[in-house]
Amino acid sequence: MRIFDPHIHMTSRTTDDYEAMHAAGVRAVVEPSFWLGQPRTSPASFLDYFDALLGWEPFRAAQYGIAHHCTLALNPKEANDPRCVPVLDELPRYLVKDQVVAVGEIGYDSMTPAEDTALAAQLQLAADHALPALVHTPHRDKLVGLRRTLDVVRESALPPEHVLLDHLNETTVKEAKDSGGWLGFSVYPDTKMDEERMVAILKRYGSEKVLVNSAADWGRSDPLKTRRVGDAMLANGFTEDDVDLVLWRNPVAFYGISGRLALDTEGTPATGATHEGNSILRGGE
Amino acid sequence: MSRISPMTPVERVNSDSPVDAVTSDDLARTRPADLHTRLDSHLTGAARAWLDQALDEAGTHPGTHGPISVWELRLAEAGRRCGAEHADAARVLILHAARADAAALTRVYQQGTAAERRAVLHALPHLVPGPDALPLVEDALRTNDTRLVAAAVGPYAARHLDPHQWRHAVLKCLFTGVPVAAVADLDRRAHADAELARMLGDYAAERTAAGRPVPADLHRVLTLTDPTATPPAPATAPGPRGTDGEES
């Protein structure tokens, strides 16, 4: 089973996780920039974080045979802090980088006017850079948040089929699907989705344009949840091809919109690391 | 797809030589005109056309793309235009065509991804005659990214790093598993270096005390430090990287 985790915060994880993920079949990840738990106080700390997502973290991932790409943005929560907002002016020089495959995570946290402004501005940045957008839907007041998100997307220059609506659940999947966007589901140990509910949604709404992620971060989360969903799908009568569509081909198709995904045909990374004396994949497979 | 057995990062970087059309060693040591000819022979038509235009733009500096100049945009997108395996060479050529000086290289390095930083390091011997860009080498040597460390110990470092920093760079290669074949001018600089010999001996003793094998590369460098050995000829292009370090 080859797995592409389209949303995972590896900066917050250990090398043990990378090793376990590789053993479970994970060969590619996308790491969206997000809130670090401790609020930032200036654009400079965003820039160091962006640099890490374009430098150290892909190197770490390559050590474990996993291709690493990222999405960059001002996250919804910190869009409310005027000390952080100027990072929007720095984003254009980052959004041209090879490993940046979307603008994200953007969207709503508390649905404030500041979040409206940041979301609209960053959807425009995505359109300007021919990138898709990874849009986080809020944890609180989720359905209203999704509707407001879809309104802003409709008013933007970005076509809905270039938008991945993430953290969906039973209450939001229908309207998200009707919008024409890609459908992201985060599978967590306690909150968000779980494996069995995920399978039920796949049965009811189909697997077209559906992406499943672990969204693993510094909180209670599990970087192997993508594999657990694949196993649950197989146990419930889905075929290997269905699993491959959800866990590999759909994320490749969505982030492939950027034209910047560097993966080889076997689902192993074709990044510089494998050519710079780090030949774990050539040696092991 | 077979499972890959867990290995330490040190083991992983000590593997066979890279398969690049143009190896990392070559990037810093090959004349840009020759590099261009060799890269062209590996690129598809679309990538070749893109590179030609990027080099033209770098030569003429035609304005900006938002906050950055057009040639810096081309530098950023070289991977997706030429393919990851050719990006380093393409970037070195763009930097050369732009006649980037130490100030421009510093800006590009500081605003660059790891891949862009690597290209800047490879381009240094082509573009910076004096030691002005040494802080970039020192920055790369502070990282634990073995691709950056390997790029940092090229001909520019051989020319300008002071003895203390150069010895630590060699030791860092041994620590992180960067094959010492990546170290430019190793024979000449190591020759009769008694302090380097002491550091290598102490490191070997530390490994042995811990019950760990001593890297084969350590013995190789130790041999080079012997003052009674025949002094080496001036540096030439070394053989393929990665065939030596066998620490496991």
Side-chain angles (χ1 to χ4, degrees):
Chain A
M1 190 184 295
R2 57 178 181 173
I3 298 170
F4 186 136
D5 193 331
H7 182 154
I8 184 166
H9 302 288
M10 292 311 299
T11 304
S12 308
R13 311 298 305 192
T14 66
T15 52
D16 282 357
D17 289 329
Y18 270 125
E19 213 164 285
M21 287 162 64
H22 189 279
V26 177
R27 294 294 181 271
V29 297
V30 165
E31 176 156 6
S33 62
F34 83 138
W35 185 58
L36 286 179
Q38 176 69 33
R40 297 178 178 90
T41 59
S42 77
S45 64
F46 279 89
L47 303 190
D48 288 339
Y49 176 63
F50 295 164
D51 287 341
L53 295 184
L54 294 165
W56 180 236
E57 203 55 47
F59 175 75
R60 269 186 3 125
Q63 296 297 294
Y64 295 89
I66 294 174
H68 182 288
H69 296 81
C70 66
T71 78
L72 299 181
L74 170 62
N75 62 76
K77 197 184 293 268
E78 289 174 313
N80 293 297
D81 188 333
R83 295 173 301 175
C84 296
V85 173
V87 76
L88 289 174
D89 299 330
E90 303 287 337
L91 272 172
R93 73 175 168 88
Y94 279 97
L95 295 180
V96 301
K97 303 297 189 187
D98 270 338
Q99 296 141 272
V100 178
V101 292
V103 172
E105 305 178 50
I106 53 178
Y108 285 114
D109 178 55
S110 299
M111 289 183 270
T112 64
E115 291 171 27
D116 285 328
T117 304
L119 174 57
Q122 294 185 98
L123 287 169
Q124 183 63 47
L125 280 175
D128 291 345
H129 289 83
L131 288 170
L134 170 60
V135 180
H136 158 109
T137 57
H139 305 302
R140 303 176 301 278
D141 206 6
K142 193 180 265 298
L143 183 56
V144 169
L146 174 78
R147 289 171 181 161
R148 188 153 157 184
T149 300
L150 293 176
D151 285 343
V152 179
V153 168
R154 271 189 287 269
E155 290 164 10
S156 79
L158 202 63
E161 61 272 18
H162 287 196
V163 173
L164 168 55
L165 299 158
D166 209 356
H167 313 314
L168 298 175
N169 61 21
E170 291 86 349
T171 66
T172 50
V173 56
K174 172 82 169 58
E175 290 185 37
K177 187 176 170 74
D178 291 344
S179 79
W182 294 74
L183 312 173
F185 296 88
S186 301
V187 181
Y188 259 35
D190 295 323
T191 58
K192 297 189 172 78
M193 293 294 295
D194 66 34
E195 296 92 311
E196 295 306 320
R197 287 166 50 217
M198 190 65 237
V199 166
I201 282 186
L202 285 164
K203 280 184 174 168
R204 178 156 178 201
Y205 294 95
S207 47
E208 187 192 353
K209 295 178 93 168
V210 170
L211 288 74
V212 171
N213 61 71
S214 73
D217 58 14
W218 32 251
R220 182 160 155 70
S221 51
D222 178 356
L224 304 184
K225 281 296 185 189
T226 48
R227 173 64 194 237
R228 305 283 172 259
V229 168
D231 291 341
M233 286 176 71
L234 292 175
N236 282 275
F238 285 92
T239 66
E240 297 269 2
D241 190 67
D242 297 327
V243 173
D244 192 64
L245 179 66
V246 172
L247 293 185
W248 187 265
R249 300 199 306 273
N250 281 346
V252 167
F254 174 72
Y255 288 118
I257 292 169
S258 70
R260 306 186 199 178
L261 267 189
L263 307 165
D264 79 10
T265 50
E266 292 180 311
T268 49
T271 61
T274 55
H275 298 290
E276 286 292 324
N278 176 11
S279 66
I280 172 176
L281 295 167
R282 283 181 288 130
E285 295 186 328
Chain B
M1 193 175 296
S2 64
R3 185 182 181 282
I4 294 172
S5 59
M7 294 188 291
T8 67
V10 166
E11 289 170 300
R12 289 197 182 106
V13 295
N14 277 328
S15 47
D16 52 337
S17 58
V19 296
D20 303 46
V22 182
T23 67
S24 299
D25 291 334
D26 293 338
L27 295 173
R29 294 171 174 86
T30 308
R31 288 193 316 128
D34 297 336
L35 200 59
H36 191 186
T37 306
R38 286 167 56 188
L39 180 59
D40 260 358
S41 70
H42 287 92
L43 293 179
T44 63
R48 206 178 307 130
W50 177 86
L51 180 64
D52 285 345
Q53 187 183 337
L55 294 176
D56 283 349
E57 288 169 344
T60 53
H61 289 237
T64 59
H65 172 88
I68 59 175
S69 62
V70 168
W71 70 268
E72 286 171 83
L73 168 67
R74 301 296 173 238
L75 202 69
E77 65 183 6
R80 56 189 184 269
R81 301 297 183 180
C82 295
E85 69 274 31
H86 302 302
D88 283 10
R91 289 189 171 114
V92 168
L93 290 173
I94 292 169
L95 288 167
H96 184 260
R99 301 180 298 280
D101 59 10
L105 289 165
T106 299
R107 182 182 69 249
V108 167
Y109 181 95
Q110 289 175 343
Q111 297 188 348
T113 63
E116 291 169 71
R117 292 179 185 204
R118 201 166 61 225
V120 168
L121 294 167
H122 288 311
L124 291 179
H126 300 306
L127 289 167
V128 185
D132 311 6
L134 212 44
L136 305 186
V137 172
E138 292 164 355
D139 180 90
L141 287 172
R142 281 193 295 272
T143 73
N144 277 6
D145 184 331
T146 49
R147 299 167 302 182
L148 286 171
V149 172
V153 292
Y156 190 82
R159 217 175 289 157
H160 298 295
L161 265 189
D162 70 38
H164 177 80
Q165 288 184 304
W166 185 80
R167 291 180 193 119
H168 271 272
V170 172
L171 214 56
K172 179 136 190 178
C173 287
L174 295 172
F175 264 83
T176 57
V178 171
V180 295
V183 180
D185 228 355
L186 178 67
D187 294 14
R188 184 183 63 78
R189 287 207 64 163
H191 181 69
D193 187 337
E195 176 64 2
L196 179 62
R198 181 200 62 75
M199 292 166 75
L200 294 171
D202 286 356
Y203 179 41
E206 189 182 334
R207 298 281 303 177
T208 305
R212 293 176 180 144
V214 175
D217 261 8
L218 187 149
H219 296 297
R220 179 180 166 184
V221 183
L222 197 55
T223 304
L224 295 174
T225 62
D226 183 352
T228 66
T230 310
T236 53
R241 269 182 48 201
T243 53
D244 300 293
E246 289 172 354
E247 181 182 11
S248 58

